Amino acid sequence: MKINFKNNFIASVIISYLLFVQISLHGQQKNQTSYSNNLAKNAMSVSTESKIEALIKTLTLKEKVALCHAQSKFSTKGVERLGIPEIWMSDGPHGVRAEINWDNWKYAGWTNDSITAFPALTCLAASFNPELSSQYGFSLGEEARYRKKDVLLGPGVNIYRTPLNGRNFEYMGEDPFLASTLVVPYIKGVQKNGVAACVKHYVLNNQEHWRSKINVEVGDRALYEIYLPAFKASVKEAGVWAIMGAYNKFRGKYTTHNPILHKILKSDWKYDGVVISDWSSAHSTEESALYGLDLEMGTGTDGLGTSTNDFYSQYYLAAPFLKGLKNGDFPESLVDDKVRRILRLMFRTNMSANRPLGNANTKAHHDVARRVATDGIVLLKNEKNFFPIKDDKNVTIAVIGENATRSMTAGGGSSELKAKFEISPLEGIKARYKNATITHAMGYQTGPSRYNQVIPPTLDLDSLKTEAIKTARNADIVLFIGGLNKSHLQDCEGDDRLQFGLPFGQVDLLNDIYKVNKNIGFILVTGNAVEMPWLDKVNALVETWYLGSMSGHAIADVISGDVNPSGKLPFSFPVKLEDNAAHFFGTSSYPGENMTQYYKEDILVGYRWHDTKKIKPLYAFGYGLSYTSFTISDIKTDKKTYTTEDSITVSCRLNNTGLLDGSEVVQVYVGKQKSKVKRALKELKGFQKVSVNSGKQYSVDINIPVKSLSFYDEAISDWNLEKGDYIVYVGNASNNISKKTKITIN
Ligand code: GLC
């Protein structure tokens, strides 16, 4: 038998390295320590990249191909011969999903996989708080590590284009700068645990309706200026270790293995991580091989529905790929590049010698979940000093609505969670208000959350309504806790909402309650904007998002005044659906015709549309009230004229002119005057959330690189910084600008 010394030498280096990993992990006796230290010195001097190259030389073609696709619903094969471990993945963006069976979509029924449910990402976006995002990512990463997951399938950063999209609650709103600024600390936080974040869904997955077939047509400008930035920040600033392709097509080819998106990601951005498919988003061996798919998951299933047993050997990147490599259709360098990335993911996660061990369901995590929740809740209306509500023994508070008690961590699709606990709004209110009398009526009922099917309610709706009206009549204060929920055709993966208004007869119920009690505060539990023809019937309105395990405590913190609300809307609330850009252009724009849709609004998404077309929104991007009041004064820029390499320093003084301590988000938008191309009136280019005590003031400096004012010039397929005059807008909402300042770029 011919001995191949080269390979054996390499194999011995690897074995000794893996032995080092083994030893250092298990912490052997004293004498072993000196041994492993010496080995450690040797092993650490051999860089990860050279270990990867050595491994690639040692792997057989069959082993290489086996690394590129699933072996089960949420895991991929390792290489037992060399001690290379499996990779284990789990959803989702706001918590680690319960264990799922090896080969089907049912839950495994474990008793040790309950976790902390963190607030949905719209709430994190609404906090405008990068420091909190870092704590969020780190805590979530600890729980993923504790559950022995090497890849966490989140965060989601698809841009909010239509208020009907079933998955907007999982994402970070309509503005690419806000999403980019908040996704970076989240990813870094997760990855500090030796767990890969997997930013998703790359790209243009902005609706759930027809998600697995729809072909998106959009120009380069909108692609680069609106839909790619959060992914680019994930790669270039956060160093994300995994990215998930999307279901939809872009310009006729599936996004998961798309030549244009592959070039942008791996050539232009020099992404060195792994591209993982969405579950069943791969559709071709050749395109997967050539256009950048590294790890194929979920093929043969419809994503979350039926599954096909032992389909794994038939995956596009399984037997057909191996065959293509063997008969020369594909050069071996193609599979080597995929394996290189997968091994790099392993050395960063399950082959890293010094990963922390993680933990779950700790007070620290509950505190983070509560802080993100209270920091993201948005106070939209507060008349007659409705909020905060005192805990007064002479007062009766009627809590009405199904969302006062309905679980919002169950349902919603792949982001659903088995929370160790979930404090409902009613529980939180009862826990906080010890003196006031709290009464409750469900008022309306919807069916349980089921994926891809609507289950009808079981109770008699008329008696629910009668009961609610009676409860309201006999109360001093009515808290109507309604909105949407995580069931099919609501805020749920797999499809979109069919209506912009509130479902389940809530509006009729509210109107009937109004007839017997006009002192109503609406607590809106949604992940999306809704139509509000009833707004004049409520004295107050709070958008509370889906807040996870600590929902009830966080809501009680804010409505009682224990916490002064400081959240700002991460997306616009149009008055009516047609005021939204995606719906302005009819069905060819949303949901599409003949399986193709045209993003005709181009770059004018969200407030960019409302500002530029002068269509006043009901509530604007960046808007949110406080129990105290702020003014922004002494607004100035450090210079009047800048060059390309400069950074603009916008400074101002934030004054808390009210009676309560609180936080405010100073927002800086910039617009180009007399541009040679179509541009939005103004775009968010900087923000800072600041806590200021009552009567105090705080000086704020926000730096904006001049280059960030460039537009993507389709004529040169590159970014282009226009010279000339720009307007700098400073305020605390996109529709509440304190001052405009002109600057010039030379
Ligand atoms: C789903 C989702 C994706 C999720 C994956 C695994 O279809 O689109 O976000 O991570 O499948 O559940």
Side-chain angles (χ1 to χ4, degrees):
M1 184 237 327
K2 181 174 171 302
I3 295 177
N4 177 337
F5 283 102
K6 183 163 140 291
N7 272 349
N8 278 1
F9 165 73
I10 290 163
S12 63
V13 165
I14 294 153
I15 295 264
S16 62
Y17 169 72
L18 295 174
L19 193 58
F20 155 68
V21 171
Q22 205 62 27
I23 287 171
S24 62
L25 269 182
H26 296 304
Q28 302 297 314
Q29 301 85 347
K30 187 99 183 65
N31 58 338
Q32 285 281 9
T33 312
S34 58
Y35 172 72
S36 62
N37 280 350
N38 294 336
L39 206 58
K41 269 203 283 302
N42 303 339
M44 281 312 165
S45 64
V46 178
S47 81
T48 301
E49 291 305 312
S50 46
K51 282 181 218 146
I52 289 171
E53 294 314 316
L55 279 171
I56 288 175
K57 288 189 176 58
T58 314
L59 291 165
T60 65
L61 195 59
K62 197 165 184 305
E63 287 166 338
K64 290 178 183 176
V65 169
L67 285 170
C68 297
H69 62 82
Q71 69 168 350
S72 74
K73 277 279 169 252
F74 283 89
S75 76
T76 67
K77 212 174 157 60
V79 184
E80 209 166 331
R81 176 173 71 88
L82 295 175
I84 294 176
E86 300 169 335
I87 297 174
W88 278 88
M89 314 179 184
S90 170
D91 290 310
H94 343 121
V96 186
R97 191 176 186 185
E99 196 68 16
I100 285 182
N101 284 334
W102 178 270
D103 217 3
N104 63 57
W105 284 107
K106 292 188 180 59
Y107 285 108
W110 286 11
T111 55
N112 63 352
D113 59 353
S114 301
I115 43 75
T116 304
F118 293 89
L121 293 190
T122 42
C123 179
L124 178 61
S127 75
F128 276 70
N129 192 329
E131 169 47 36
L132 263 188
S133 182
S134 172
Q135 294 173 27
Y136 185 127
F138 182 74
S139 306
L140 174 49
E142 278 191 314
E143 301 220 352
R145 177 72 190 103
Y146 178 80
R147 289 268 293 107
K148 295 187 177 16
K149 303 305 177 185
D150 307 307
V151 182
L152 177 78
L153 301 170
V157 291
N158 291 106
I159 289 294
Y160 185 112
R161 174 176 183 257
T162 161
L164 302 185
N165 176 22
R167 288 186 89 172
N168 278 331
F169 72 94
E170 289 188 52
Y171 305 148
M172 293 186 168
E174 72 187 24
D175 181 80
F177 180 82
L178 175 64
S180 303
T181 308
L182 292 181
V183 78
V184 169
Y186 173 113
I187 289 170
K188 287 179 174 175
V190 169
Q191 298 187 160
K192 274 197 193 100
N193 293 280
V195 173
C198 179
V199 66
K200 66 189 186 181
H201 306 84
Y202 183 72
V203 67
L204 296 163
N205 178 189
N206 304 103
Q207 66 190 48
E208 288 299 289
H209 196 62
W210 300 329
R211 67 173 178 170
S212 59
K213 301 189 284 289
I214 192 79
N215 171 42
V216 175
E217 293 292 341
V218 65
D220 279 354
R221 264 200 84 192
L223 175 68
Y224 279 91
E225 292 187 20
I226 304 294
Y227 299 102
L228 285 176
F231 291 98
K232 184 173 185 181
S234 299
V235 170
K236 308 289 278 184
E237 295 168 47
V240 74
W241 295 341
I243 286 189
M244 187 186 292
Y247 283 118
N248 54 284
K249 291 178 178 175
F250 166 55
R251 294 182 188 164
K253 284 196 177 303
Y254 285 105
T255 50
T256 294
H257 35 71
N258 182 297
I260 297 170
L261 302 175
H262 168 54
K263 175 191 173 297
I264 293 170
L265 183 63
K266 293 188 173 175
S267 303
D268 301 350
W269 297 349
K270 300 199 179 1
Y271 171 59
D272 74 352
V274 176
V275 172
I276 301 174
S277 73
D278 199 335
W279 269 237
S280 212
S281 74
H283 297 275
S284 149
T285 293
E286 186 185 12
E287 291 189 4
S288 298
L290 294 173
Y291 302 133
L293 177 61
D294 301 307
L295 243 185
E296 179 185 355
M297 302 300 291
T299 300
T301 75
D302 62 9
L304 289 168
T306 57
S307 74
T308 313
N309 284 344
D310 191 25
F311 195 75
Y312 305 108
S313 58
Q314 302 163 54
Y315 273 34
Y316 295 104
L317 284 183
F321 185 38
L322 181 60
K323 184 160 166 279
L325 285 160
K326 280 181 173 165
N327 63 26
D329 293 345
F330 309 115
E332 188 155 351
S333 60
L334 262 188
V335 69
D336 287 353
D337 179 61
K338 300 181 197 300
V339 168
R340 185 169 293 116
R341 294 167 183 275
I342 292 163
L343 290 173
R344 199 172 285 141
L345 173 67
M346 290 180 170
F347 278 104
R348 289 166 165 164
T349 58
N350 58 10
M351 280 169 63
S352 153
N354 47 20
R355 278 199 294 180
L357 295 178
N359 54 63
N361 302 309
T362 59
K363 185 179 177 315
H365 292 176
H366 302 152
D367 290 348
V368 168
R370 188 168 185 164
R371 261 200 314 280
V372 172
T374 53
D375 221 68
I377 285 174
V378 184
L379 180 61
L380 292 171
K381 177 179 182 183
N382 192 24
E383 288 166 8
K384 300 193 180 96
N385 289 318
F386 185 90
F387 289 124
I389 298 173
K390 286 191 204 54
D391 182 15
D392 180 335
K393 67 179 183 337
N394 303 317
V395 167
T396 298
I397 303 171
V399 176
I400 293 173
E402 188 189 42
N403 284 356
T405 52
R406 183 188 178 99
S407 165
M408 294 297 183
T409 54
S414 58
S415 66
E416 75 169 340
L417 297 171
K418 179 162 90 174
K420 186 129 183 118
F421 64 82
E422 178 182 1
I423 306 295
S424 73
L426 181 62
E427 285 168 317
I429 291 166
K430 281 185 174 172
R432 173 62 180 75
Y433 287 86
K434 303 277 189 218
N435 302 312
T437 303
I438 306 293
T439 57
H440 167 250
M442 185 184 268
Y444 66 94
Q445 190 211 20
T446 64
S449 297
R450 282 290 177 284
Y451 184 69
N452 261 347
Q453 52 180 311
V454 177
I455 311 283
T458 52
L459 304 175
D460 174 72
L461 300 183
D462 287 341
S463 56
L464 284 178
K465 181 185 265 194
T466 310
E467 170 67 18
I469 291 165
K470 189 165 122 256
T471 308
R473 183 185 294 116
N474 301 330
D476 303 296
I477 296 172
V478 174
L479 283 179
F480 191 100
I481 306 189
L484 305 174
N485 63 33
K486 299 289 195 69
S487 56
H488 183 48
L489 304 178
Q490 299 304 324
D491 281 334
C492 180
E493 175 178 341
D495 213 332
D496 294 343
R497 279 195 292 154
L498 301 175
Q499 60 178 70
F500 184 43
L502 287 178
F504 318 129
Q506 289 175 76
V507 180
D508 290 346
L509 172 62
L510 188 66
N511 289 334
D512 289 346
I513 288 173
Y514 183 74
K515 289 171 190 151
V516 300
N517 192 324
K518 295 193 172 14
N519 194 18
I520 304 171
F522 200 120
I523 293 180
L524 190 60
V525 180
T526 71
N528 255 314
V530 295
E531 191 175 35
M532 300 188 198
W534 39 265
L535 187 56
D536 58 342
K537 292 196 171 61
V538 300
N539 289 330
L541 171 65
V542 199
E543 171 61 68
T544 65
W545 315 115
Y546 298 114
L547 298 174
S549 292
M550 301 297 275
S551 293
H553 289 326
I555 289 172
D557 287 346
V558 168
I559 66 172
S560 66
D562 291 350
V563 173
N564 188 351
S566 61
K568 301 286 181 184
L569 290 180
F571 51 77
S572 316
F573 277 57
V575 171
K576 55 188 190 308
L577 193 56
E578 303 68 50
D579 290 353
N580 164 278
H583 295 267
F584 182 84
F585 295 99
T587 52
S588 64
S589 161
Y590 178 88
E593 292 165 355
N594 310 316
M595 275 316 143
T596 287
Q597 68 185 132
Y598 298 86
Y599 285 11
K600 293 183 174 173
E601 75 281 5
D602 195 58
I603 56 168
L604 299 183
V605 174
Y607 69 88
R608 289 169 165 80
W609 175 260
H610 289 287
D611 287 352
T612 312
K613 300 294 182 182
K614 300 199 179 1
I615 299 173
K616 195 172 176 308
L618 180 63
Y619 289 113
F621 173 86
Y623 173 85
L625 298 176
S626 170
Y627 294 147
T628 187
S629 53
F630 293 95
T631 60
I632 303 176
S633 58
D634 302 335
I635 296 168
K636 53 185 178 297
T637 56
D638 59 330
K639 293 193 286 189
K640 282 293 159 229
T641 307
Y642 296 89
T643 63
T644 315
E645 298 313 312
D646 280 345
S647 182
I648 303 161
T649 300
V650 181
S651 53
C652 65
R653 190 170 301 289
L654 180 63
N655 316 293
N656 181 339
T657 54
L659 301 176
L660 291 171
D661 300 347
S663 297
E664 180 58 287
V665 181
V666 177
Q667 301 161 41
V668 181
Y669 299 80
V670 182
K672 174 77 185 68
Q673 287 194 321
K674 299 196 229 22
S675 172
K676 65 179 181 182
V677 293
K678 173 190 68 179
R679 289 176 85 148
L681 174 72
K682 63 180 189 288
E683 299 177 310
L684 185 70
K685 293 294 179 184
F687 64 84
Q688 192 174 337
K689 184 162 205 174
V690 184
S691 298
V692 188
N693 288 348
S694 166
K696 302 291 183 204
Q697 57 186 8
Y698 187 92
S699 65
V700 177
D701 284 343
I702 293 172
N703 293 312
I704 299 170
V706 165
K707 278 193 174 153
S708 74
L709 307 185
S710 305
F711 73 95
Y712 187 81
D713 190 344
E714 293 177 350
I716 58 171
S717 294
D718 201 354
W719 293 90
N720 182 346
L721 176 66
E722 267 188 300
K723 307 292 185 278
D725 294 345
Y726 290 75
I727 301 289
V728 176
Y729 303 76
V730 179
N732 74 343
S734 64
N735 67 339
N736 190 26
I737 298 302
S738 306
K739 185 179 177 184
K740 297 188 277 191
T741 312
K742 188 161 84 172
I743 61 168
T744 305
I745 311 289
N746 280 336

